[in-house]
């Protein structure tokens, strides 16, 4: 299991439905990762001040797609795609020739 930091949307009734994003630690089994890609939309959210204030404004984000059998789940995690790929050990995999 690999530890990452997930960005999740927390809709608050106190802010009249305004989206506020928060961070939490998650653990992912790298064997269930189907795809990863940059999540440029979160950079805009960061610039709008909807993420925690102590997050560096230069931060990058990655969308991770996990296999859940017949469906998948998308997670946004903190970190550049290349770094997340290394952390998940995806750069170590080789294609089978057949």
């Amino acid at each position: 299991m690999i530890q990452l930091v997930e960005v999740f949307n927390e809709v608050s009734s106190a802010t009249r439905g305004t989206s506020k994003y928060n961070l939490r630690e998650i653990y992912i089994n790298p064997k269930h990762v189907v795809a990863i890609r940059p999540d440029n939309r979160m950079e805009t959210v960061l610039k709008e001040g909807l993420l925690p204030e102590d997050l560096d404004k230069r931060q990058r984000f990655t969308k991770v797609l996990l296999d859940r059998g017949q469906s998948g789940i998308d997670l946004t995690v903190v970190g550049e795609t290349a770094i997340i790929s290394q952390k998940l050990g995806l750069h170590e995999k080789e294609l089978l020739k057949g």
Side-chain angles (χ1 to χ4, degrees):
M1 298 292 270
I2 305 298
Q3 180 183 11
L4 299 172
V5 177
E6 178 189 16
V7 179
F8 68 100
N9 192 346
E10 191 170 67
V11 178
S12 171
S13 59
T15 57
R16 297 187 199 133
T18 303
S19 292
K20 182 75 174 169
Y21 293 84
N22 228 330
L23 305 176
R24 63 181 165 206
E25 291 180 354
I26 60 169
Y27 293 88
I28 292 179
N29 183 343
K31 293 179 182 179
H32 294 278
V33 174
V34 176
I36 63 172
R37 63 180 177 271
D39 191 349
N40 299 325
R41 182 184 64 85
M42 290 309 295
E43 293 175 33
T44 304
V45 170
L46 178 61
K47 290 176 185 174
E48 291 173 353
L50 298 175
L51 284 164
E53 294 176 12
D54 56 344
L55 202 57
D56 190 324
K57 300 299 181 201
R58 298 170 291 176
Q59 190 61 262
R60 299 289 179 254
F61 302 91
T62 300
K63 178 99 38 192
V64 178
L65 176 64
L66 298 174
D67 182 18
R68 288 183 54 190
Q70 292 186 2
S71 65
I73 184 171
D74 281 339
L75 303 171
T76 297
V77 297
V78 177
E80 190 173 332
T81 305
I83 294 170
I84 298 300
S85 173
Q86 283 183 339
K87 207 168 184 183
L88 292 171
L90 300 178
H91 66 288
E92 298 169 0
K93 294 183 180 179
E94 294 182 23
L95 293 176
L96 296 176
K97 297 180 182 178

